[in-house]
Amino acid sequence: MSSPDGTAAPGPLPDALRDAGRTLVMGVVNVTPDSFSDGGQWFDTDVAVAHAKHLLAQGADIVDVGGESTRPGAAPVTPEEERRRILPVVEALVEAGGVVSVDTLHAATARAAVDAGALIVNDVSGGTADPEMLATVAQTGVVYILQHRRGTAATMNELAVYDDVVTEVRAELAERLAATAAAGVREEQVVLDPGLGFAKNAEHNWALLARLDELGRLGRPLLVGASRKRFLGGVVAPGLADQPMARDAASAAVSALAAAAGVWAVRVHEVTASLDATRVAAAWTAHR
Ligand code: PMM
């Protein structure tokens, strides 16, 4: 089975995900005290586990578990603290039969999560933060979400300068894809992500969404993470622009359009509406 855009689905993943016939929905669980999108409400382990199971019950195809905030200027956490936050959540989700992704910059955390049963490593640095990451992905053989960004959480805002953001992000993703191959990662393991908001302003994010087909020409499935991001504040009702949770309807609208553009998965905080959005897109494109 292929992704909606015709690229081969990444492997290895369970058949149910390969045969979904629509864009997949990845639900987000940030086990952090300081994420912009949910204000740290899932920081307690038991609360995080309950929330993650709730996302599964709502039909999330994948649950992405992270223990370090990636927002601009966020304080880094040690890999030890990160593992303390996320591993109980990963274990509980695997036990419950969920497909788990681990959102981490750290190879040691990625490996520990894979040992606990995670099937996907989601690295917002695209392998640039930890020199061991790509070798770890190669050794474990899991699916690798390679996200574009420039710099680090501390420096990325000032690096949001492009002549043509889509052409440049595509070229930089191609470079990172070559780096994964050089490290022994098999091409079918890799999913590419434009990294909305990571060294991108609102104009850049919209251009990347509008021209996803150009990124798709790199030949790998795509994941889009627009959910609750600041640029969506520009389209919600005036007065709500500064409230991340007021961006869920706009996030689901992006899910529908990204799914219609053929992306493999969308990464969202609110699962139900995006799941319906991806079903709408599948029905829509099936009747073309
Ligand atoms: N965005 C965030 C965190 N992790 N991972 C991927 N692959 N793509 C993204 O766009 C992405 C991500 C930041 O959002 P959050 O703080 O709501 O998790």
Side-chain angles (χ1 to χ4, degrees):
M1 176 69 194
S2 63
S3 296
D5 70 351
T7 54
L13 282 175
D15 287 346
L17 290 195
R18 302 178 73 83
D19 298 341
R22 58 170 170 76
T23 294
L24 301 177
V25 175
M26 170 188 272
V28 179
V29 178
N30 288 317
V31 195
T32 57
D34 56 352
S35 277
F36 82 96
S37 50
D38 44 31
Q41 58 182 316
W42 319 120
F43 187 43
D44 176 83
T45 302
D46 292 340
V47 178
V49 168
H51 179 57
K53 287 188 175 173
H54 178 62
L55 297 183
L56 272 187
Q58 288 181 314
D61 300 296
I62 301 163
V63 178
D64 189 40
V65 184
E68 178 174 25
S69 173
T70 52
R71 80 187 149 77
V77 298
T78 63
E80 293 75 22
E81 167 64 9
E82 183 186 36
R83 290 197 287 280
R84 190 195 65 72
R85 293 179 184 181
I86 65 164
L87 285 180
V89 184
V90 172
E91 284 160 8
L93 280 174
V94 169
E95 170 88 26
V99 174
V100 178
S101 159
V102 58
D103 187 346
T104 185
L105 302 171
H106 302 118
T109 301
R111 182 175 290 278
V114 170
D115 287 347
L119 299 182
I120 301 173
V121 172
N122 175 24
D123 175 6
V124 301
S125 83
T128 62
D130 185 333
E132 299 301 318
M133 181 60 101
L134 297 183
T136 301
V137 170
Q139 282 158 15
T140 56
V142 295
V143 171
Y144 181 59
I145 299 171
L146 188 169
Q147 193 213 261
H148 177 273
R149 79 169 183 185
R150 286 178 174 175
T152 63
T155 62
M156 62 189 180
N157 278 352
E158 68 213 45
L159 298 172
V161 182
Y162 304 86
D163 285 328
D164 178 346
V165 65
V166 181
T167 308
E168 289 171 53
V169 167
R170 185 166 93 156
E172 289 167 29
L173 280 172
E175 278 172 27
R176 296 311 305 155
L177 193 55
T180 64
V185 177
R186 287 173 294 113
E187 198 177 1
E188 62 263 32
Q189 286 176 255
V190 183
V191 172
L192 298 175
D193 180 339
L196 302 178
F198 289 80
K200 283 117 198 155
N201 63 28
E203 285 297 310
H204 299 141
N205 292 334
W206 288 119
L208 287 160
L209 286 169
R211 292 162 60 192
L212 285 168
D213 56 320
E214 293 179 42
L215 301 180
R217 280 187 224 131
L218 290 169
R220 299 306 309 146
L222 299 177
L223 179 140
V224 164
S227 182
R228 293 186 183 169
K229 286 188 178 164
R230 181 185 301 275
F231 76 107
L232 296 177
V235 298
V236 303
L240 294 176
D242 289 337
Q243 296 176 34
M245 285 181 216
R247 302 171 191 155
D248 279 338
S251 304
V254 172
S255 292
L257 291 165
V263 304
W264 171 71
V266 288
R267 179 183 181 279
V268 294
H269 302 84
E270 202 284 300
V271 163
T272 309
S274 279
L275 204 46
D276 285 353
T278 65
R279 293 193 186 109
V280 167
W284 185 291
T285 44
H287 289 81
R288 256 201 204 125

